[in-house]
C-alpha cells in the first residue's frame, strides 16, 4: 500500500476516531500498489521482510486465549454447502497437526508463541463449535458495526438452538454472503474484529466479521484471485478451491482469528500507543505470504499441478494465508518459509 500524505493520514485518523463503535482493526490485503504510488507499505510499522527495527509489539497485560478455543460461526445470508465446507475445513485445520507440510497448523504455531502474564501459551486446540444460519437476512442486507452486534445477539438469544455463551474461550465468527454490504466493506476493510457490548448483546464476546467480496469487490478483498480494474494486464492467480470469493475470505479469517486469540479484548498484544486503533500480529504482515515478501511482492508461493496458487495445506485442501508477526525473532514467519 502506498504511503499516504500527511493530510490524508490525519483525515483518515480523524474519521476512524469519530466512528462508533470502532472495531479493533480492519483487514484489507492490498499487497499491490495503485498507479503513481510509491512502493512502500504503511510506513515503518509494516514489515519489509528483515526490517524490524521500528516494530514495538508489546504485551499490555490483558487476557489471551490459553484454553481450548471454540469458533462459533454465524452464516448470514445465502451460502452454498460447498462454500461452508471450504471454511469449516480451514478452521478445522488449525489443530490438524498431521496435515502435509507446510500446514495451517504450522502457521498457527506462530500464534502459540504468545503468552499471558502467567507465561501460559495460546492454546494449540482450535475447534469448530456450534453454527447458526441466518439465511433470511434478519437484519437486512446492509449492516452497520452496531447491527453486526445485533446479529450476534439474535444468534445467542434465539429461541431454537441458540449459540452457546462462551466469553472466556469462545470466538464468534460472523460471515456475510456475497449479496450483503457491511459498513466500510470494500472501501476500507474486508474484515475486522472487536468484542460485543453488554448493553447490546448482554455479554462481552470476542467476535470477527468477514465478508464474501465475490460480487462487491473481489479485486480488493479476494486478491490475488481477482485483480482490481486499475491493474490492467495483470492476470489473477487460480484459487486453490475454485471459489474466488471464499478463497479470498480464508486469509482474512486467519488474520482475524489470530488477532482475536492474541488480543481478544484489545488490551493484550499490539503495537502502537492507542488501543482504539492497535497494530496487531497480523497487521504487521499484511501482504506477506512467503519468503522474501514485502512491499508489493507477496513472497515465494506454491503452485499445484492444477495451476492453483497456495502456501499451506489443511486437512484435505490447500489455502493461501498471510504470514504472522513472530515476536520472538521480530519478523514475519510462516510454515512455507524457504529459510
Amino acid at each position: 500500500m502506498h504511503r499516504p500524505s500527511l493530510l490524508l493520514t490525519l483525515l483518515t485518523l480523524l474519521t476512524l476516531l469519530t466512528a462508533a463503535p470502532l472495531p479493533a482493526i480492519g483487514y484489507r490485503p492490498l499487497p499491490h500498489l495503485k498507479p503513481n504510488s510509491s512502493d512502500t507499505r504503511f510506513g515503518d510499522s509494516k514489515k519489509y521482510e528483515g526490517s524490524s527495527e521500528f516494530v514495538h509489539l508489546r504485551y499490555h497485560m490483558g487476557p489471551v486465549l490459553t484454553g481450548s478455543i471454540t469458533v462459533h460461526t454465524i452464516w448470514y445470508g445465502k451460502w452454498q454447502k460447498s462454500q461452508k465446507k471450504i471454511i469449516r475445513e480451514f478452521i478445522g485445520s488449525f489443530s490438524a497437526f498431521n496435515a502435509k507440510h507446510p500446514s495451517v497448523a504450522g502457521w498457527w504455531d506462530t500464534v502459540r508463541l504468545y503468552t499471558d502474564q502467567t507465561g501460559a501459551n495460546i492454546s494449540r486446540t482450535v475447534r469448530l463449535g456450534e453454527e447458526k444460519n441466518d439465511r433470511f437476512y434478519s437484519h437486512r442486507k446492509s449492516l452497520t458495526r452496531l447491527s453486526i452486534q445485533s446479529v450476534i445477539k439474535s444468534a445467542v438469544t434465539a429461541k431454537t438452538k441458540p449459540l452457546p455463551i462462551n466469553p472466556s474461550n469462545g470466538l464468534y465468527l460472523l460471515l456475510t454472503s456475497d449479496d450483503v454490504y457491511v459498513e466500510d466493506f470494500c472501501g476500507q476493510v474486508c474484515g475486522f474484529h472487536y468484542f460485543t457490548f453488554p448493553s447490546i448483546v448482554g455479554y462481552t464476546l470476542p467476535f470477527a466479521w468477514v465478508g464474501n467480496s465475490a460480487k462487491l469487490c473481489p479485486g480488493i478483498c479476494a486478491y490475488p484471485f481477482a485483480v482490481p480494474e486499475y491493474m490492467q494486464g495483470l492476470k489473477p492467480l487460480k484459487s486453490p478451491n475454485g471459489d474466488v470469493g471464499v478463497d479470498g475470505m480464508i486469509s482474512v479469517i486467519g488474520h482475524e482469528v489470530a488477532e482475536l486469540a492474541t488480543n481478544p479484548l484489545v488490551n493484550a498484544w499490539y503495537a502502537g500507543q492507542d488501543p482504539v486503533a492497535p497494530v496487531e500480529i497480523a497487521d504487521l504482515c499484511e501482504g506477506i505470504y512467503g519468503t522474501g515478501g514485502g512491499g508489493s511482492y507477496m513472497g515465494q508461493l506454491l503452485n499445484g499441478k492444477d495451476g492453483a496458487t497456495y502456501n499451506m495445506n489443511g486437512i484435505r485442501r490447500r489455502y493461501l494465508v498471510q504470514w504472522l508477526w513472530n515476536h520472538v525473532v521480530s519478523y514475519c514467519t510462516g510454515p512455507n518459509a524457504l529459510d
Side-chain angles (χ1 to χ4, degrees):
M1 183 177 288
H2 68 284
R3 184 189 298 275
S5 66
L6 179 59
L7 178 59
L8 180 59
T9 300
L10 292 174
L11 289 175
T12 302
L13 180 60
L14 179 61
T15 300
L16 290 173
L17 290 176
T18 54
L22 183 67
I25 194 65
Y27 171 55
R28 185 179 179 189
L30 286 178
H32 282 268
L33 309 168
K34 290 187 176 182
N36 303 318
S37 65
S38 59
D39 192 9
T40 55
R41 293 171 44 77
F42 278 110
D44 293 327
S45 68
K46 294 298 176 182
K47 164 116 178 15
Y48 283 77
E49 194 181 17
S51 300
S52 58
E53 63 270 21
F54 294 104
V55 175
H56 300 289
L57 187 75
R58 294 191 301 112
Y59 177 50
H60 296 80
M61 306 306 288
V64 300
L65 302 186
T66 57
S68 179
I69 300 169
T70 303
V71 180
H72 300 294
T73 310
I74 303 169
W75 302 96
Y76 191 86
K78 297 178 180 179
W79 290 89
Q80 299 173 18
K81 291 182 179 179
S82 60
Q83 294 177 319
K84 290 182 176 181
K85 191 172 183 180
I86 294 170
I87 294 174
R88 286 177 183 141
E89 289 189 7
F90 174 62
I91 295 172
S93 296
F94 284 37
S95 297
F97 302 104
N98 294 326
K100 181 181 178 181
H101 178 79
S103 68
V104 174
W107 169 85
W108 187 253
D109 282 343
T110 296
V111 181
R112 294 198 61 243
L113 294 172
Y114 291 83
T115 63
D116 64 10
Q117 54 188 305
T118 70
N121 293 84
I122 288 175
S123 176
R124 68 179 305 194
T125 303
V126 181
R127 69 181 186 89
L128 189 65
E130 300 297 319
E131 301 181 24
K132 194 69 177 175
N133 292 297
D134 196 332
R135 62 178 62 91
F136 298 113
Y137 309 90
S138 65
H139 295 267
R140 302 182 180 182
K141 290 187 176 182
S142 182
L143 302 176
T144 65
R145 292 168 181 166
L146 281 178
S147 64
I148 279 178
Q149 297 205 24
S150 296
V151 172
I152 296 172
K153 177 182 179 181
S154 296
V156 300
T157 61
K159 292 182 179 179
T160 59
K161 297 182 178 179
L163 290 183
I165 303 300
N166 185 4
S168 59
N169 287 295
L171 303 181
Y172 296 79
L173 182 60
L174 174 62
L175 304 174
T176 51
S177 57
D178 59 13
D179 57 348
V180 176
Y181 175 75
V182 174
E183 183 179 358
D184 296 327
F185 192 21
C186 298
Q188 294 182 26
V189 299
C190 302
F192 61 72
H193 74 89
Y194 206 51
F195 53 84
T196 61
F197 301 151
S199 59
I200 297 176
V201 179
Y203 307 89
T204 301
L205 305 173
F207 77 91
W209 158 75
V210 179
N212 186 335
S213 66
K215 292 181 179 178
L216 297 172
C217 58
I220 295 176
C221 293
Y223 183 91
F225 306 127
V227 177
E229 293 181 0
Y230 63 80
M231 299 175 70
Q232 297 181 4
L234 182 65
K235 294 182 178 180
L237 301 178
K238 183 178 179 180
S239 66
N241 296 290
D243 190 308
V244 168
V246 174
D247 276 318
M249 293 177 71
I250 290 298
S251 187
V252 189
I253 291 171
H255 178 117
E256 301 303 339
V257 172
E259 292 184 343
L260 278 170
T262 55
N263 197 28
L265 301 181
V266 201
N267 60 358
W269 288 95
Y270 65 87
Q273 301 300 315
D274 189 357
V276 175
V279 177
E280 299 166 290
I281 72 166
D283 301 322
L284 291 165
C285 303
E286 283 181 13
I288 297 177
Y289 294 78
T291 300
S296 60
Y297 178 54
M298 298 177 68
Q300 293 284 342
L301 305 178
L302 303 173
N303 292 312
K305 294 180 180 179
D306 58 353
T309 299
Y310 66 105
N311 68 345
M312 58 189 74
N313 298 286
I315 301 171
R316 302 176 188 86
R317 299 174 183 271
R318 301 162 299 175
Y319 301 100
L320 182 66
V321 187
Q322 70 152 95
W323 281 12
L324 300 170
W325 184 258
N326 183 327
H327 71 296
V328 176
V329 294
S330 293
Y331 56 81
C332 301
T333 58
N336 60 316
L338 297 181
D339 51 356

